[in-house]
Amino acid sequence: MAYTALYRVYRPQTFQDVVGQEHVTTTLRNALRENRLSHAYLFNGPRGTGKTSAAKIMAKAVNCEQPIDGEPCNQCDTCRAISNGSVTDVLEIDAASNRGVEEIRDIRDKVKFAPSDVRYKVYIIDEVHMLTTEAFNALLKTLEEPPSHVIFILATTEPHKLPATIISRCQRFDFHRIPLKVMVNLLQGICQSQGVQVEEQALQLVAKMAEGGARDALSLLDQAISYSKDEVRASDIMQITGTVAQSYFSVLARHIAENDVAEVMEQFDRVMVQGKDPEQFLHDFLYYYRDMLLLKTAPQLEEIVERTMIDEQFAEVANLYSFPALYAAIETCNQALSQLKWSTYARVLVELTLVKMCQPTANATESMGASPVNSEELTAMSNRIRVLEERLVQVMQGQVSIPGQQKAEETRKNEPRRIAAASGGSRTPLNRVREVAKAMDENLTRQVRGQWSQILTELKKIKIQYQAWLVNGQPVAAGNDAVVVTFNSAIHCDKTMEAELRSVIERVMSTVLGKPLQLLSVMEEEWQSVDQQVGQKDASDEPEEDPFLAEAIKLVGEGLVEVKD
């Protein structure tokens, strides 16, 4: 017969076989024992944690002819038939490949028929989050009120993708990642039953790589058994998975702490020659520093023991790093891992990361925190702060005036108002705008304002986008062969002064007005400032009144005074 994979051979057949999910199996066994069955269940959690296995065990338990304390007997014809998949009333549906509304409608039409071989029809829908919105809608009513002989069990790794209306109709069970110690015990028992010799550290590595998933752990163990000859060793696991030994990371981290770039590059090259993946290398190195940080902050934390072997070498290297140095190393590795997703040259990026970690600047925070403070400098600084505080109190009470304050205030009062758009003003030369303001033609200005709507209409006929850029502008002055148009939006102002759009607008104005005029687009604040400056200059150009003449008018009246040159 063909070889069967370990994760299929050791698939749980009872709730007691499901490891690491006691909070789920206990609840289900009690419900079966007391006959408090729900019509719909939702099993969600990480991959390989027993969701589908628990669903099949549930299907056997509700239909078992001789259940034992909420467990299926696995001896009766019904249990054996369900295990073999020969019962048509227990259906396992993969929603990833049967995600359409037609498949769900087919289920909805068939649930009304009574089961032919067992007591309950059980529908196990795996990866249910892959169903379409229409399929979920088709499932809603049936899921809420199915016939008494039907049980739905939904399984998913991404429950957040399910509609809330589906989740609210189910009893939800969250499957957890299997703890590392539990996983090691499971692997050890399987190795003993298989007659396989395996190192303790190899089991630790397998459990670590599985990240809480029993199926992943068994698949990796199966591969390691095929690779090894007499005994599964930790080196075999590292060779298969492409990981690096912890002792290597300890040597590398020591050289980084000593800022020895040459040794670091040599150690990294030694790993790359062995065919290791740069991204996996950096991922493991990040976790090495993470474990080091946890060792220094919480030595009794159980997860440290799970992740790393706490030996003398690891503890010695940890003493070489301060907290700021560890923060910097972890942050540098994390940034590099984010960049690796988009980088073509993974090895070069990892080498650059290692060189950065060796630079003295990486430990700048540490050196700054460790440098002693000169007592004399501290005393002098304290005295200066005290004097400044006293002066500040006096200024606030009005006892002392700040030198130059009055002069600065007068300067600000006399200073003309700055243009509001100075940081983002228009590209129009303001000298040209001043010329138009000085030589403004009132008749031409009224003509432009009166025919402005016609100009916009003609511009819209050419292209509606052109009219949209100019529609917010207002003509304020015309003269000296130019028109000044003001805007409140800097984007519209700048756009209308671009060569292409500006030439089209000037051509339309020439056609409508019968006279060629240049377009000058400015911000409204700029125009107000220019207009104000021109008005002040015109007022200053008026001749000053003769004081003798003013006194004569005051004495005899303006009617009796005649001025001759």
Side-chain angles (χ1 to χ4, degrees):
M1 294 180 63
Y3 176 76
T4 305
L6 288 180
Y7 77 87
R8 295 180 59 193
V9 174
Y10 292 95
R11 180 185 290 274
Q13 299 299 321
T14 63
F15 288 121
Q16 191 174 0
D17 296 338
V18 181
V19 297
Q21 313 297 340
E22 288 76 11
H23 62 290
V24 175
T25 57
T26 301
T27 305
L28 294 178
R29 289 180 63 184
N30 291 338
L32 288 164
R33 188 186 304 115
E34 298 171 9
N35 199 23
R36 299 173 60 89
L37 298 178
S38 176
H39 62 280
Y41 296 90
L42 174 61
F43 294 167
N44 63 266
R47 67 182 188 276
T49 52
K51 301 183 295 298
T52 307
S53 298
K56 291 182 177 180
I57 295 170
M58 186 74 177
K60 288 191 293 185
V62 297
N63 291 308
C64 182
E65 301 172 5
Q66 299 174 348
I68 305 172
D69 194 23
E71 294 273 16
C73 66
N74 288 316
Q75 301 296 328
C76 62
D77 294 338
T78 300
C79 287
R80 287 199 296 266
I82 294 176
S83 298
N84 296 332
S86 58
V87 176
T88 57
D89 295 319
V90 177
L91 299 178
E92 183 177 357
I93 303 168
D94 179 22
S97 55
N98 300 276
R99 59 193 306 262
V101 65
E102 295 298 331
E103 289 83 353
I104 301 302
R105 285 175 179 169
D106 183 61
I107 295 175
R108 185 184 61 185
D109 294 338
K110 291 180 179 179
V111 294
K112 62 184 70 173
F113 301 111
S116 57
D117 300 326
V118 293
R119 284 182 293 177
Y120 289 96
K121 272 190 173 183
V122 181
Y123 289 90
I124 302 173
I125 305 179
D126 198 11
E127 301 298 333
V128 69
H129 66 274
M130 298 292 289
L131 291 179
T132 62
T133 303
E134 294 78 8
F136 277 125
N137 293 334
L139 185 63
L140 278 176
K141 190 63 178 178
T142 303
L143 195 64
E144 183 178 18
E145 297 177 358
S148 58
H149 57 265
V150 175
I151 295 176
F152 283 95
I153 303 178
L154 313 181
T156 179
T157 55
E158 302 182 47
H160 57 277
K161 293 185 177 180
L162 269 66
T165 49
I166 293 290
I167 297 176
S168 63
R169 287 165 167 80
C170 305
Q171 281 192 13
R172 178 172 176 174
F173 292 88
D174 295 327
F175 283 67
H176 301 163
R177 295 186 185 275
I178 301 174
L180 191 137
K181 289 184 177 179
V182 176
M183 185 78 74
V184 170
N185 293 333
L186 173 65
L187 296 175
Q188 203 164 27
I190 292 175
C191 289
Q192 290 177 358
S193 63
Q194 291 286 319
V196 177
Q197 299 294 325
V198 61
E199 285 183 352
E200 179 68 22
Q201 190 176 2
L203 293 179
Q204 293 278 346
L205 284 175
V206 170
K208 172 185 172 182
M209 296 296 172
E211 297 183 348
R215 183 173 62 244
D216 292 354
L218 290 177
S219 297
L220 181 56
L221 179 62
D222 204 351
Q223 185 179 358
I225 292 173
S226 300
Y227 177 81
S228 305
K229 295 181 180 180
D230 301 327
E231 182 181 8
V232 178
R233 304 179 185 276
S235 58
D236 299 334
I237 304 298
M238 295 177 188
Q239 187 68 28
I240 292 172
T241 59
T243 56
V244 181
Q246 179 182 322
S247 58
Y248 168 83
F249 283 134
S250 297
V251 174
L252 187 64
R254 184 185 297 274
H255 291 314
I256 290 177
E258 297 171 354
N259 300 328
D260 191 345
V261 178
E263 285 293 333
V264 170
M265 290 294 99
E266 185 178 347
Q267 292 290 334
F268 179 67
D269 183 69
R270 187 179 304 170
V271 170
M272 290 297 100
V273 169
Q274 298 175 7
K276 306 295 184 183
D277 179 44
E279 184 174 359
Q280 182 64 38
F281 164 83
L282 198 58
H283 181 272
D284 295 339
F285 201 28
L286 172 64
Y287 268 105
Y288 179 85
Y289 276 114
R290 172 255 190 196
D291 294 338
M292 189 183 297
L293 178 63
L294 292 182
L295 174 66
K296 295 175 72 69
T297 54
Q300 304 303 323
L301 197 62
E302 182 180 0
E303 191 173 359
I304 299 178
V305 180
E306 294 183 357
R307 279 286 183 180
T308 309
M309 302 295 293
I310 307 300
D311 53 11
E312 294 183 2
Q313 189 179 20
F314 183 77
E316 290 176 1
V317 175
N319 292 331
L320 299 177
Y321 285 85
S322 64
F323 288 116
L326 284 176
Y327 300 152
I330 293 173
E331 183 65 25
T332 303
C333 292
N334 186 46
Q335 291 178 357
L337 280 172
S338 301
Q339 296 172 0
L340 273 174
K341 299 177 181 178
W342 317 106
S343 176
T344 307
Y345 307 99
R347 175 171 178 173
V348 176
L349 182 58
V350 176
E351 289 175 344
L352 176 62
T353 302
L354 294 175
V355 172
K356 284 183 180 179
M357 296 170 69
C358 292
Q359 295 299 323
T361 53
N363 299 325
T365 308
E366 175 188 3
S367 60
M368 291 175 59
S371 60
V373 180
N374 192 323
S375 59
E376 295 181 359
E377 294 180 358
L378 184 60
T379 304
M381 189 177 297
S382 301
N383 293 334
R384 291 184 61 187
I385 293 173
R386 179 176 53 79
V387 172
L388 289 173
E389 288 177 346
E390 294 176 355
R391 291 291 301 276
L392 180 60
V393 172
Q394 294 175 359
V395 170
M396 294 179 66
Q397 294 177 354
Q399 300 176 3
V400 178
S401 62
I402 301 176
Q405 180 181 15
Q406 184 176 0
K407 183 177 180 181
E409 291 178 355
E410 293 177 355
T411 303
R412 283 196 299 269
K413 291 179 180 178
N414 297 329
E415 185 181 54
R417 185 169 64 90
R418 295 185 180 273
I419 297 173
S423 60
S426 64
R427 63 180 72 180
T428 305
L430 292 185
N431 292 334
R432 182 76 173 108
V433 177
R434 292 190 186 94
E435 293 176 2
V436 176
K438 291 178 183 179
M440 184 173 67
D441 187 340
E442 293 291 344
N443 294 330
L444 182 57
T445 302
R446 283 194 295 269
Q447 180 186 359
V448 173
R449 290 175 178 171
Q451 295 181 291
W452 189 249
S453 59
Q454 184 179 353
I455 293 173
L456 294 176
T457 303
E458 295 296 327
L459 198 62
K460 184 178 180 181
K461 293 179 181 179
I462 299 175
K463 195 173 184 180
I464 191 172
Q465 286 84 354
Y466 292 164
Q467 186 253 4
W469 286 114
L470 189 64
V471 70
N472 292 326
Q474 294 294 332
V476 294
N480 201 12
D481 298 330
V483 175
V484 179
V485 181
T486 61
F487 291 86
N488 289 323
S489 170
I491 298 177
H492 290 75
C493 181
D494 289 343
K495 185 67 177 179
T496 53
M497 289 303 293
E498 291 183 358
E500 179 183 357
L501 179 55
R502 180 181 176 183
S503 63
V504 174
I505 296 173
E506 290 177 348
R507 188 170 68 250
V508 171
M509 287 195 302
S510 177
T511 303
V512 175
L513 301 173
K515 180 179 181 180
L517 294 174
Q518 180 185 5
L519 175 66
L520 300 176
S521 299
V522 295
M523 296 296 293
E524 187 175 353
E525 294 83 356
E526 292 179 312
W527 168 251
Q528 292 176 359
S529 177
V530 171
D531 191 30
Q532 182 180 1
Q533 293 175 9
V534 172
Q536 291 177 353
K537 187 172 183 180
D538 291 343
S540 63
D541 291 341
E542 294 180 0
E544 296 183 0
E545 187 177 13
D546 190 344
F548 296 102
L549 181 61
E551 187 66 24
I553 293 174
K554 188 185 298 183
L555 292 175
V556 299
E558 186 176 0
L560 299 178
V561 176
E562 182 179 357
V563 180
K564 295 182 178 181
D565 293 337

Short mmCIF file of all heavy atoms in Angstrom, two decimals, residues 243-271:
data_model
loop_
_atom_site.label_atom_id
_atom_site.label_comp_id
_atom_site.label_asym_id
_atom_site.label_seq_id
_atom_site.Cartn_x
_atom_site.Cartn_y
_atom_site.Cartn_z
N THR A 243 17.27 27.12 8.40
CA THR A 243 17.53 27.96 9.57
C THR A 243 18.99 27.85 9.98
O THR A 243 19.74 27.01 9.49
CB THR A 243 16.63 27.55 10.74
OG1 THR A 243 16.83 26.15 11.02
CG2 THR A 243 15.17 27.78 10.40
N VAL A 244 19.37 28.73 10.91
CA VAL A 244 20.76 28.82 11.36
C VAL A 244 20.81 28.46 12.84
O VAL A 244 19.90 28.78 13.61
CB VAL A 244 21.32 30.24 11.13
CG1 VAL A 244 22.77 30.33 11.57
CG2 VAL A 244 21.20 30.61 9.66
N ALA A 245 21.89 27.81 13.24
CA ALA A 245 22.04 27.39 14.64
C ALA A 245 22.14 28.60 15.55
O ALA A 245 22.66 29.66 15.18
CB ALA A 245 23.28 26.50 14.79
N GLN A 246 21.67 28.43 16.78
CA GLN A 246 21.70 29.52 17.75
C GLN A 246 23.15 29.89 18.09
O GLN A 246 23.44 31.07 18.30
CB GLN A 246 20.95 29.12 19.02
CG GLN A 246 20.96 30.18 20.10
CD GLN A 246 20.24 29.73 21.34
OE1 GLN A 246 19.22 29.05 21.25
NE2 GLN A 246 20.75 30.10 22.50
N SER A 247 24.05 28.92 18.15
CA SER A 247 25.44 29.22 18.47
C SER A 247 26.05 30.15 17.42
O SER A 247 26.87 31.02 17.74
CB SER A 247 26.25 27.92 18.55
OG SER A 247 26.18 27.20 17.33
N TYR A 248 25.62 30.00 16.17
CA TYR A 248 26.12 30.89 15.12
C TYR A 248 25.64 32.33 15.38
O TYR A 248 26.42 33.28 15.25
CB TYR A 248 25.63 30.41 13.75
CG TYR A 248 25.84 31.42 12.65
CD1 TYR A 248 27.07 31.54 12.01
CD2 TYR A 248 24.80 32.28 12.28
CE1 TYR A 248 27.26 32.48 11.01
CE2 TYR A 248 24.99 33.22 11.28
CZ TYR A 248 26.22 33.32 10.65
OH TYR A 248 26.41 34.25 9.67
N PHE A 249 24.37 32.48 15.74
CA PHE A 249 23.86 33.82 16.02
C PHE A 249 24.58 34.45 17.22
O PHE A 249 24.78 35.67 17.25
CB PHE A 249 22.35 33.76 16.28
CG PHE A 249 21.53 33.63 15.03
CD1 PHE A 249 20.49 32.71 14.97
CD2 PHE A 249 21.79 34.39 13.91
CE1 PHE A 249 19.73 32.57 13.83
CE2 PHE A 249 21.03 34.27 12.76
CZ PHE A 249 20.00 33.35 12.72
N SER A 250 24.93 33.64 18.19
CA SER A 250 25.66 34.17 19.35
C SER A 250 27.02 34.71 18.93
O SER A 250 27.44 35.79 19.37
CB SER A 250 25.81 33.08 20.41
OG SER A 250 24.55 32.66 20.90
N VAL A 251 27.72 33.98 18.06
CA VAL A 251 29.02 34.46 17.57
C VAL A 251 28.84 35.73 16.76
O VAL A 251 29.59 36.71 16.91
CB VAL A 251 29.70 33.35 16.73
CG1 VAL A 251 30.98 33.89 16.09
CG2 VAL A 251 30.00 32.13 17.59
N LEU A 252 27.83 35.76 15.90
CA LEU A 252 27.59 36.93 15.06
C LEU A 252 27.22 38.15 15.90
O LEU A 252 27.72 39.25 15.67
CB LEU A 252 26.47 36.62 14.06
CG LEU A 252 26.20 37.67 12.99
CD1 LEU A 252 27.41 37.83 12.08
CD2 LEU A 252 24.97 37.29 12.17
N ALA A 253 26.36 37.95 16.89
CA ALA A 253 25.96 39.07 17.74
C ALA A 253 27.13 39.60 18.56
O ALA A 253 27.21 40.80 18.83
CB ALA A 253 24.82 38.62 18.67
N ARG A 254 28.05 38.72 18.95
CA ARG A 254 29.23 39.17 19.69
C ARG A 254 30.10 40.08 18.81
O ARG A 254 30.59 41.12 19.26
CB ARG A 254 30.03 37.96 20.18
CG ARG A 254 31.24 38.32 21.04
CD ARG A 254 32.04 37.07 21.37
NE ARG A 254 31.26 36.12 22.16
CZ ARG A 254 31.17 36.19 23.49
NH1 ARG A 254 31.82 37.13 24.16
NH2 ARG A 254 30.45 35.29 24.14
N HIS A 255 30.30 39.69 17.55
CA HIS A 255 31.10 40.51 16.64
C HIS A 255 30.42 41.85 16.36
O HIS A 255 31.09 42.88 16.22
CB HIS A 255 31.34 39.77 15.34
CG HIS A 255 32.26 38.59 15.47
ND1 HIS A 255 33.44 38.65 16.17
CD2 HIS A 255 32.16 37.31 14.99
CE1 HIS A 255 34.04 37.46 16.13
NE2 HIS A 255 33.28 36.65 15.41
N ILE A 256 29.10 41.84 16.29
CA ILE A 256 28.37 43.10 16.08
C ILE A 256 28.54 44.02 17.28
O ILE A 256 28.74 45.24 17.13
CB ILE A 256 26.88 42.82 15.80
CG1 ILE A 256 26.72 42.17 14.43
CG2 ILE A 256 26.06 44.10 15.87
CD1 ILE A 256 25.30 41.77 14.08
N ALA A 257 28.48 43.46 18.48
CA ALA A 257 28.68 44.26 19.69
C ALA A 257 30.09 44.85 19.73
O ALA A 257 30.30 45.94 20.28
CB ALA A 257 28.41 43.42 20.93
N GLU A 258 31.05 44.13 19.15
CA GLU A 258 32.44 44.62 19.11
C GLU A 258 32.72 45.49 17.88
O GLU A 258 33.85 45.93 17.68
CB GLU A 258 33.39 43.41 19.10
CG GLU A 258 33.31 42.57 20.37
CD GLU A 258 34.09 41.27 20.24
OE1 GLU A 258 34.58 41.00 19.12
OE2 GLU A 258 34.18 40.54 21.25
N ASN A 259 31.68 45.75 17.07
CA ASN A 259 31.80 46.59 15.86
C ASN A 259 32.86 46.06 14.89
O ASN A 259 33.56 46.82 14.23
CB ASN A 259 32.13 48.05 16.24
CG ASN A 259 31.07 48.67 17.11
OD1 ASN A 259 29.89 48.34 16.98
ND2 ASN A 259 31.46 49.56 17.99
N ASP A 260 32.96 44.74 14.80
CA ASP A 260 33.94 44.10 13.94
C ASP A 260 33.26 43.74 12.62
O ASP A 260 32.69 42.65 12.45
CB ASP A 260 34.50 42.85 14.62
CG ASP A 260 35.73 42.30 13.90
OD1 ASP A 260 35.97 42.71 12.74
OD2 ASP A 260 36.44 41.47 14.50
N VAL A 261 33.31 44.66 11.65
CA VAL A 261 32.60 44.47 10.40
C VAL A 261 33.20 43.31 9.61
O VAL A 261 32.47 42.52 8.99
CB VAL A 261 32.64 45.77 9.57
CG1 VAL A 261 31.94 45.57 8.21
CG2 VAL A 261 31.98 46.91 10.33
N ALA A 262 34.53 43.17 9.63
CA ALA A 262 35.18 42.11 8.84
C ALA A 262 34.71 40.73 9.28
O ALA A 262 34.36 39.87 8.45
CB ALA A 262 36.70 42.24 8.97
N GLU A 263 34.69 40.48 10.58
CA GLU A 263 34.25 39.18 11.09
C GLU A 263 32.77 38.95 10.81
O GLU A 263 32.35 37.83 10.51
CB GLU A 263 34.54 39.08 12.59
CG GLU A 263 36.00 38.87 12.94
CD GLU A 263 36.49 37.50 12.47
OE1 GLU A 263 35.66 36.58 12.36
OE2 GLU A 263 37.69 37.37 12.21
N VAL A 264 31.97 39.99 10.94
CA VAL A 264 30.54 39.85 10.67
C VAL A 264 30.31 39.45 9.23
O VAL A 264 29.51 38.55 8.93
CB VAL A 264 29.81 41.17 11.02
CG1 VAL A 264 28.36 41.13 10.51
CG2 VAL A 264 29.81 41.41 12.52
N MET A 265 30.99 40.11 8.31
CA MET A 265 30.82 39.78 6.89
C MET A 265 31.31 38.36 6.58
O MET A 265 30.73 37.65 5.76
CB MET A 265 31.58 40.79 6.03
CG MET A 265 30.98 42.19 6.01
SD MET A 265 29.34 42.25 5.21
CE MET A 265 28.27 42.23 6.65
N GLU A 266 32.37 37.95 7.25
CA GLU A 266 32.88 36.59 7.03
C GLU A 266 31.90 35.55 7.54
O GLU A 266 31.65 34.53 6.87
CB GLU A 266 34.23 36.45 7.75
CG GLU A 266 34.91 35.10 7.49
CD GLU A 266 36.27 34.99 8.16
OE1 GLU A 266 36.79 36.04 8.60
OE2 GLU A 266 36.79 33.87 8.23
N GLN A 267 31.32 35.80 8.71
CA GLN A 267 30.33 34.86 9.25
C GLN A 267 29.09 34.80 8.35
O GLN A 267 28.55 33.72 8.11
CB GLN A 267 29.93 35.30 10.67
CG GLN A 267 31.02 35.16 11.71
CD GLN A 267 31.33 33.70 12.02
OE1 GLN A 267 30.48 32.83 11.86
NE2 GLN A 267 32.56 33.45 12.45
N PHE A 268 28.64 35.94 7.86
CA PHE A 268 27.46 35.96 7.00
C PHE A 268 27.73 35.23 5.69
O PHE A 268 26.88 34.50 5.18
CB PHE A 268 27.02 37.40 6.74
CG PHE A 268 25.83 37.51 5.85
CD1 PHE A 268 24.58 37.06 6.25
CD2 PHE A 268 25.94 38.05 4.57
CE1 PHE A 268 23.47 37.16 5.43
CE2 PHE A 268 24.85 38.15 3.74
CZ PHE A 268 23.61 37.71 4.17
N ASP A 269 28.92 35.43 5.13
CA ASP A 269 29.27 34.75 3.88
C ASP A 269 29.30 33.24 4.07
O ASP A 269 28.93 32.48 3.17
CB ASP A 269 30.62 35.27 3.39
CG ASP A 269 31.01 34.65 2.05
OD1 ASP A 269 30.36 34.98 1.04
OD2 ASP A 269 31.95 33.83 2.03
N ARG A 270 29.74 32.80 5.24
CA ARG A 270 29.78 31.37 5.52
C ARG A 270 28.38 30.76 5.47
O ARG A 270 28.18 29.63 5.00
CB ARG A 270 30.41 31.15 6.89
CG ARG A 270 30.68 29.69 7.24
CD ARG A 270 31.33 29.61 8.61
NE ARG A 270 32.56 30.42 8.67
CZ ARG A 270 33.22 30.68 9.79
NH1 ARG A 270 32.77 30.19 10.94
NH2 ARG A 270 34.32 31.41 9.77
N VAL A 271 27.39 31.51 5.93
CA VAL A 271 26.01 31.02 5.90
C VAL A 271 25.45 31.03 4.48
O VAL A 271 24.76 30.11 4.05
CB VAL A 271 25.13 31.88 6.84
CG1 VAL A 271 23.67 31.55 6.65
CG2 VAL A 271 25.53 31.64 8.28
#
